[in-house]
Amino acid sequence: MILRTALALTALAGPALAQDRTLTISVYGIAQDAYQEALYTPFEARCGCKLVVESGNSVERLAKLEANAGAPVVDVIAFSDANALEAASKGLLAPLDPAALPNLASIYDFARNPVGDAMAVGYTFYGTSIVYRSDEVQVNSWLDLFSDDLAGYVALPNISTTQGPITLMMLQKALGKEDPTFADAIDLVAEHKDDVVTFYERGSQIPQLLQQEEILAAVVGRFGWANIAKLGLPVEWAQPKEGQTGGMNVLSMVKGTKDPELAQQFIDFWLSAEVQQKLADGLVDSPVNTQVSVEGETAEALTYGEDMAAQIHFLPADQQLKHREDWLSRWNAKVAQ
């Protein structure tokens, strides 16, 4: 009887212990229903654990991570590459073990160790280029943004946006001057600032401006392309000779996590073809896993494929952290005045 009672208690304790295993993740607030279906629920079923999801913008989540450095309340965090490098420089992240992430072998090289020291791994990326009215103008270079044909009909991102610094990087590259201060690019924008309709803060402004024919070209992220393509206008996505730019979001493990094994299992699952395929099919994230396959309108709406990925020039995270205050100061002095 004693043996039977002990066995019964053990059987009851097993599932209870599994459910007590909890992983807290910090993520952006967008598309959480899609993530729940494609990622969170399947992972909970696989690990027999509980996911706690905290969401918010990058500034808030980084501040919370720093405030709780002595007793972390988050295990895994999703950030931009620059945010991750900043967190790593403050001692808030723990290095990932490549051996614990078998799906690393299936993702693009640029996503495997984007901030160095194995502090992060990319889970999605996007391209940024110029969209333009192909019946009115031609765009073959980033410098064409300042052509006579586009004077008074172009929109550029403000320096305060994600798209702002990477646009300056491509202008600097087009000028043939590799300078991380972007001094020449900012001077170029300043020279033509009266020809710019708006230095936009939100990419959602661009479709309306195109539809009203207030602009004929704009710099946009690929995530905004689907809404622009739906306008029914002769609008093209430029393939500038200097290439395209873009950005990347990454996953990191928080220093002090009580369950690094589970944290890395979750990160690896997010990188899997299974999860990345579902998120791509739902137009949530452009996949970094090269085994994902999409076609037609889905592929058109995403930053998809090796050819597209090969064209993208990423702005190094360390360069963003080192020079962003200088960019802002120079921009405010020459463009925003």
Side-chain angles (χ1 to χ4, degrees):
M1 184 180 296
I2 293 173
L3 179 60
R4 285 198 301 270
T5 301
L7 290 172
L9 289 172
T10 300
L12 289 171
L17 289 172
Q19 287 299 323
D20 286 344
R21 201 176 185 193
T22 300
L23 192 75
T24 301
I25 62 173
S26 175
V27 297
Y28 295 103
I30 60 173
Q32 284 304 295
D33 289 343
Y35 279 120
Q36 184 69 52
E37 181 179 351
L39 175 62
Y40 305 155
T41 298
F43 183 73
E44 288 178 323
R46 174 174 294 204
C47 71
C49 61
K50 175 66 176 176
L51 277 181
V52 177
V53 181
E54 297 185 356
S55 62
N57 65 45
S58 297
V59 174
E60 295 168 345
R61 295 186 299 114
L62 179 58
K64 183 175 181 179
L65 199 65
E66 192 167 4
N68 293 289
V73 295
V74 168
D75 301 291
V76 173
I77 192 160
F79 265 157
S80 71
D81 52 356
N83 289 144
L85 183 60
E86 183 174 358
S89 70
K90 294 178 177 181
L92 303 175
L93 304 180
L96 298 166
D97 178 6
L101 305 173
N103 282 309
L104 279 181
S106 298
I107 70 174
Y108 289 116
D109 287 344
F110 62 72
R112 293 178 184 176
N113 188 22
V115 304
D117 298 324
M119 288 295 180
V121 59
Y123 70 89
T124 189
F125 72 113
Y126 64 86
T128 291
S129 189
I130 303 162
V131 296
Y132 65 99
R133 281 282 300 269
S134 57
D135 60 329
E136 298 280 353
V137 295
Q138 287 298 310
V139 174
N140 301 305
S141 166
W142 285 84
L143 296 181
D144 289 341
L145 288 166
F146 305 109
S147 67
D148 291 341
D149 290 340
L150 282 177
Y153 291 97
V154 66
L156 297 179
N158 201 342
I159 188 64
S160 60
T161 68
T162 305
Q163 308 303 311
I166 58 179
T167 297
L168 293 176
M169 178 185 70
M170 295 310 296
L171 290 172
Q172 191 73 35
K173 187 179 292 291
L175 289 168
K177 301 177 180 180
E178 296 291 336
D179 179 1
T181 70
F182 301 155
D184 303 284
I186 293 174
D187 286 347
L188 178 65
V189 174
E191 180 184 346
H192 293 276
K193 65 181 181 180
D194 292 338
D195 294 330
V196 178
V197 174
T198 182
F199 292 101
Y200 69 84
E201 298 284 349
R202 294 176 290 107
S204 57
Q205 298 172 248
I206 300 304
Q208 183 177 4
L209 291 172
L210 283 166
Q211 193 166 38
Q212 295 173 346
E213 298 190 344
E214 293 184 49
I215 63 172
L216 298 176
V219 176
V220 298
R222 187 72 177 184
F223 45 79
W225 172 239
N227 287 332
I228 293 172
K230 291 176 184 176
L231 295 176
L233 298 171
V235 181
E236 298 289 337
W237 180 269
Q239 307 285 342
K241 62 184 181 181
E242 301 89 2
Q244 302 179 37
T245 183
M248 186 185 338
N249 288 341
V250 303
L251 298 168
S252 295
M253 181 168 62
V254 176
K255 183 178 181 180
T257 174
K258 295 179 176 60
D259 201 336
E261 178 185 6
L262 188 61
Q264 292 179 106
Q265 285 177 7
F266 176 70
I267 291 173
D268 191 60
F269 186 60
W270 198 329
L271 299 177
S272 69
E274 171 190 349
V275 171
Q276 295 253 314
Q277 183 73 57
K278 290 178 182 177
L279 293 173
D281 288 341
L283 302 181
V284 178
D285 283 336
S286 295
V288 295
N289 192 306
T290 59
Q291 296 178 4
V292 173
S293 177
V294 293
E295 298 178 350
E297 293 183 358
T298 300
E300 184 70 10
L302 299 172
T303 305
Y304 171 73
E306 294 185 11
D307 289 344
M308 174 78 81
Q311 297 180 46
I312 297 177
H313 298 274
F314 292 102
L315 178 55
D318 59 347
Q319 190 172 323
Q320 296 181 55
L321 296 185
K322 183 177 180 180
H323 295 287
R324 62 188 178 187
E325 294 302 323
D326 292 336
W327 299 333
L328 181 61
S329 177
R330 188 182 295 269
W331 179 279
N332 286 339
K334 297 200 169 188
V335 179
Q337 64 178 357

